[in-house]
Amino acid sequence: EVQLVQSGAEVKKPGESLKISCRGSGYSFTSYWIAWVRQMPGKGLEWMGIIYPGDSDTTYSPSFQGQVTISADKSIRSAYLQWSSLKASDTAIYYCARRWYPVDAFDIWGQGTMVTVSS
Amino acid sequence: SYELTQPPSVSVSPGQTARITCSGDALPKQYAYWYQQKPGQAPVLVIYKDTERPSGIPGRFSGSTSGTTVTLTISGVQAEDEADYFCQSADTSGSSYVFGTGTKVTVL
């Protein structure tokens, strides 16, 4: 079965760092781009950026450039989203999603990781 | 920044037809995709490349396009179709993805 499994919910304080993960299975992990998508409480979906695990080529949304870092480790079939200094406004559910090439849709989604930032 | 605009809500009776629009200046040049999201769940792709339906998606879901507007149509709406729906596309350069503002479909 093709799936993306994300790491569990996190509760952090403002200023702390965090790295969440997304592990792919059931397909060639290095052949498909992985995107990260934010959903703030009660709000819509926002595309944050995308990485190609084969060579770690990465593109960020202008809205998130400099705010987060996207990375991947193909040896363990995982993509990552990290923050160096969290803010309360980073509270959201974060999804990873596979880009279905060449259709260009996001066809497989992780279950989401809830990140809560509160003092 | 590039935006895709959807109506906030659409209400429809069971068995009727729901139409959800998505407007954006780059839509004549870029394909559109539609996702269904039920409460507490991850989004699910229901339409790709404007009009195509992934395997496993019921035939009552269809997509169409006209100029700067794409439309998701749900024919013969069922209670299980109550969800949020998001369109998605790319900007004119194709280097940045964007999601629509989202539409909540309520089945009366």
Side-chain angles (χ1 to χ4, degrees):
Chain A
E1 180 190 4
V2 176
Q3 59 179 350
L4 296 172
V5 178
Q6 298 185 228
S7 49
E10 301 274 2
V11 179
K12 292 289 190 178
K13 291 181 167 46
E16 292 185 333
S17 62
L18 176 65
K19 189 175 188 178
I20 62 175
S21 66
C22 168
R23 188 174 190 281
S25 61
Y27 73 99
S28 176
F29 185 72
T30 54
S31 299
Y32 292 80
W33 294 76
I34 294 288
W36 285 96
V37 176
R38 182 175 80 174
Q39 188 167 40
M40 300 178 75
K43 301 298 184 182
L45 305 172
E46 300 173 88
W47 177 72
M48 302 176 70
I50 195 166
I51 188 166
Y52 188 70
D55 61 7
S56 290
D57 186 16
T58 306
T59 300
Y60 291 92
S61 161
S63 299
F64 291 93
Q65 178 85 49
Q67 308 304 309
V68 297
T69 301
I70 294 171
S71 60
D73 184 340
K74 60 184 179 183
S75 69
I76 55 172
R77 307 172 62 86
S78 294
Y80 302 96
L81 178 65
Q82 68 180 89
W83 296 259
S84 59
S85 181
L86 286 161
K87 303 183 284 288
S89 57
D90 292 318
T91 294
I93 298 173
Y94 294 87
Y95 293 100
C96 62
R98 187 184 80 164
R99 180 188 145 197
W100 176 18
Y101 180 82
V103 170
D104 218 20
F106 299 120
D107 66 332
I108 304 294
W109 292 68
Q111 82 276 21
T113 296
M114 179 70 216
V115 174
T116 302
V117 183
S118 175
S119 55
Chain B
S1 61
Y2 182 50
E3 294 182 350
L4 296 174
T5 303
Q6 300 178 232
S9 62
V10 167
S11 297
V12 60
S13 299
Q16 299 304 302
T17 297
R19 294 182 179 85
I20 307 163
T21 59
C22 171
S23 299
D25 290 342
L27 288 176
K29 305 180 184 66
Q30 299 288 352
Y31 284 119
Y33 308 82
W34 289 95
Y35 301 86
Q36 175 194 67
Q37 187 182 33
K38 296 182 179 179
Q41 298 183 19
V44 173
L45 178 69
V46 295
I47 293 290
Y48 66 93
K49 283 190 170 181
D50 294 340
T51 61
E52 302 298 315
R53 197 171 53 249
S55 61
I57 299 302
R60 62 181 181 273
F61 289 88
S62 64
S64 61
T65 180
S66 178
T68 58
T69 299
V70 294
T71 301
L72 173 68
T73 300
I74 312 172
S75 304
V77 166
Q78 300 183 7
E80 67 198 52
D81 300 330
E82 187 163 284
D84 293 324
Y85 291 84
F86 297 91
C87 60
Q88 176 251 311
S89 187
D91 64 8
T92 49
S93 70
S95 62
S96 190
Y97 296 97
V98 61
F99 287 94
T101 49
T103 299
K104 181 174 181 59
V105 170
T106 300
V107 181
L108 300 172

